[in-house]
Amino acid sequence: MIINDMYERMGITPETTKKGQEICDLLRERFALIDQTAEYNQLKVLNAFRDCKVSEACLYGTTGYGYNDIGRDTLEDVYAHIFNTEAALVRPQITCGTHALALALMSNLRPGDELLSPVGKPYDTLEEVIGIRESKGSLKEYGISYRQVDLLEDSSFDYEKIKDAINDKTRLVTIQRSKGYQTRKTFSVEEIGKLIAFVKDIKPDVICMVDNCYGEFVETVEPTDVGADMVVGSLIKNPGGGLAPIGGYIAGRKDCIENAAYRLTSPGLGKEVGASLGILKDFYQGLFLAPTVVASALKTSIFAANLFEKAGFKVVPDSNESRHDIIQAITLGNEERVCAFCEGIQATAPVDSFVTPEPWDMPGYDAKVIMAAGAFVSGSSIELSADGPIKPPFAVYFQGGLTWPHGKAGILKAYQTMADRGLL
Ligand SMILES: *Cc1c(COP(=O)(O)O)cnc(C)c1O
């Protein structure tokens, strides 16, 4: 068959291709459900474009101060429609996800306020934002305290302790949807809704913010549909659809977004300034593609979970678990396997397929890390990418896949590279 020839040109044997096909046959129903979610979300995005009257003029940008940037303002309106919120801030001047989260926190908290995380430790980079690890300019330096309630053993919320932790000073509650690179499970939007309802029942005026990174368009609902006051994320992950080359967003209550805008630019200026330069077409088109791109990434991770679980490896989430983000972890058990896996992913990348990734001492990490990324946008993790810290249990984390056929090829090549070296 001609398709086998194509795989063989990538060094993937007919035997491996056949294994992959058997897995695909088993996953047909599940993939159909993912396609249904993508269909719903595509219509959600399309209706937002229509309702906001996105026009050709919106695709061009402004320079200088960026007053009356119709494309920028309309895009923010589109985001607000999609996330079912009063307002949104979507800007290339928001440099990454961490920046968007820091902005949402720093602009909505004041000295004397307290921040509460009822879902355990937040994403690594937020530790310095909050001041859990000492850092210049942290919330702690500005007199904003932090409290954390860890999850119970089974990743569920510790409602008793959360109730005790909410006090007069509690102003903002931060909930991270995706597990990121921790071992807990990722929360469904429904679970997040229950937690928010519980918090608001105790203290109605508390701001509930959700770190939405890696979660956008995985379900048909978003946290702002179930009571969140703000959702925050990165445009080089899900909602950028692989096309946005930079950026972050915050969608939410009007007063929260105003606070964020005044902090991003300046008091008095807020959303009125911030030229979009020539970036808007990519923001719009990426958002338009995002629902199907997220579906491709989801299929890729479910496919990998099934292939590697069958080969005897521990996978998180497992082969049957429901999905609430696009991250997949596979415990490979030794350095050779982690390297072989990452080399396979790299070898099928559209960019830099000919380079061999090697473990290196990355700043901020306590062990060497190997990374596979052959991306159009540097560091983009909606594109197929993998990384593995070289330390027990030798797990590799991967995510993304702009198209499902590419994701499938990448996973098969990772598997093949391990097979070729006798590591399976
Ligand atoms: C990626 C991520 C962040 C930080 O985003 P960066 O763009 O890497 O700064 C924060 N929280 C979660 C859950 C993430 O996945």
Side-chain angles (χ1 to χ4, degrees):
M1 223 173 88
I2 292 168
I3 198 155
N4 275 11
D5 295 346
M6 282 297 168
Y7 280 121
E8 281 201 79
R9 277 180 58 185
M10 294 184 146
I12 297 165
T13 63
E15 197 195 348
T16 301
T17 305
K18 184 159 169 276
K19 255 196 193 104
Q21 201 44 55
E22 284 164 9
I23 302 278
C24 286
D25 291 343
L26 292 174
L27 292 175
R28 209 165 283 160
E29 271 177 45
R30 243 178 125 192
F31 281 15
L33 289 176
I34 291 172
D35 287 335
Q36 250 176 42
T37 302
E39 186 176 345
Y40 182 94
N41 285 328
Q42 183 71 78
L43 295 174
K44 189 199 277 188
V45 169
L46 192 53
N47 278 325
F49 274 54
R50 282 156 37 88
D51 292 343
C52 299
K53 295 195 163 56
V54 174
S55 66
E56 190 182 355
C58 293
L59 307 181
Y60 303 110
T62 53
T63 57
Y65 293 104
Y67 294 130
N68 303 313
D69 188 323
I70 180 194
R72 177 197 66 204
D73 295 348
T74 304
L75 180 70
E76 290 180 337
D77 200 18
V78 170
Y79 265 74
H81 273 72
I82 290 170
F83 287 103
N84 190 18
T85 59
E86 291 172 355
L89 190 65
V90 187
R91 304 278 168 132
Q93 288 86 5
I94 301 176
T95 57
C96 62
T98 305
H99 186 188
L101 288 157
L103 183 60
L105 292 172
M106 294 182 158
S107 61
N108 281 289
L109 288 161
R110 295 290 179 272
D113 286 345
E114 188 160 275
L115 168 67
L116 169 67
S117 171
V119 296
K121 188 186 99 55
Y123 199 73
D124 263 9
T125 53
L126 285 187
E127 292 186 2
E128 286 176 87
V129 172
I130 295 167
I132 300 171
R133 274 186 282 142
E134 290 295 326
S135 182
K136 288 193 198 311
S138 68
L139 291 171
K140 189 176 165 199
E141 246 191 31
Y142 284 90
I144 295 155
S145 56
Y146 171 69
R147 208 177 273 259
Q148 174 178 315
V149 176
D150 289 332
L151 296 168
L152 294 169
E153 202 71 45
D154 61 353
S155 291
S156 63
F157 308 125
D158 191 341
Y159 284 115
E160 272 309 304
K161 291 224 175 82
I162 294 170
K163 186 161 189 258
D164 293 341
I166 296 172
N167 59 59
D168 286 351
K169 289 169 62 183
T170 312
R171 172 86 186 116
L172 197 152
V173 167
T174 179
I175 300 164
Q176 186 181 310
R177 178 172 172 183
S178 166
K179 67 183 172 307
Y181 303 103
Q182 297 178 53
T183 49
R184 69 152 164 101
K185 69 181 178 62
T186 288
F187 306 123
S188 69
V189 171
E190 192 186 351
E191 287 169 313
I192 289 172
K194 281 188 190 143
L195 176 57
I196 292 172
F198 180 80
V199 168
K200 297 245 176 192
D201 201 39
I202 297 166
K203 194 168 184 188
D205 63 346
V206 79
I207 300 169
C208 289
M209 177 187 100
V210 174
D211 174 350
N212 211 22
C213 283
Y214 288 132
E216 299 93 347
F217 302 125
V218 172
E219 301 184 43
T220 54
V221 284
E222 298 290 341
T224 33
D225 292 315
V226 296
D229 299 296
M230 278 193 284
V231 279
V232 184
S234 162
L235 298 197
I236 65 167
K237 293 179 179 171
N238 304 13
L243 291 185
I246 190 171
Y249 77 89
I250 307 172
R253 242 166 55 190
K254 193 159 180 283
D255 60 318
C256 296
I257 299 303
E258 264 176 1
N259 278 333
Y262 286 134
R263 168 88 201 206
L264 175 66
T265 64
S266 156
L269 300 181
K271 292 176 91 173
E272 304 298 321
V273 295
S276 54
L277 307 175
I279 218 162
L280 288 172
K281 185 209 153 240
D282 288 342
F283 279 13
Y284 278 108
Q285 196 176 358
L287 178 62
F288 179 73
L289 294 176
T292 50
V293 169
V294 168
S296 298
L298 275 173
K299 287 175 185 174
T300 303
S301 58
I302 292 170
F303 175 70
N306 279 268
L307 184 67
F308 281 87
E309 190 176 79
K310 212 166 171 208
F313 296 101
K314 180 172 185 270
V315 294
V316 180
D318 73 27
S319 58
N320 294 309
E321 236 172 296
S322 70
R323 301 278 162 156
H324 306 289
D325 67 16
I326 62 168
I327 301 176
Q328 181 67 48
I330 307 175
T331 303
L332 294 172
N334 67 38
E335 177 171 355
E336 290 71 32
R337 291 201 192 103
V338 171
C339 291
F341 185 97
C342 289
E343 284 177 40
I345 297 290
Q346 186 75 41
T348 53
V351 180
D352 290 335
S353 59
F354 50 87
V355 305
T356 307
E358 282 177 11
W360 63 300
D361 286 303
M362 245 180 93
Y365 288 81
D366 58 354
K368 282 188 194 300
V369 180
I370 183 168
M371 293 191 158
F376 294 102
V377 172
S378 182
S380 165
S381 46
I382 187 63
E383 299 187 49
L384 188 62
S385 49
D387 50 73
I390 305 297
K391 64 176 183 189
F394 297 97
V396 70
Y397 299 88
F398 77 88
Q399 63 274 308
L402 293 183
T403 72
W404 154 235
H406 174 223
K408 180 179 175 184
I411 297 305
L412 287 177
K413 182 68 176 170
Y415 185 88
Q416 184 73 56
T417 308
M418 287 170 62
D420 291 347
R421 296 180 191 172
L423 297 169
L424 284 179

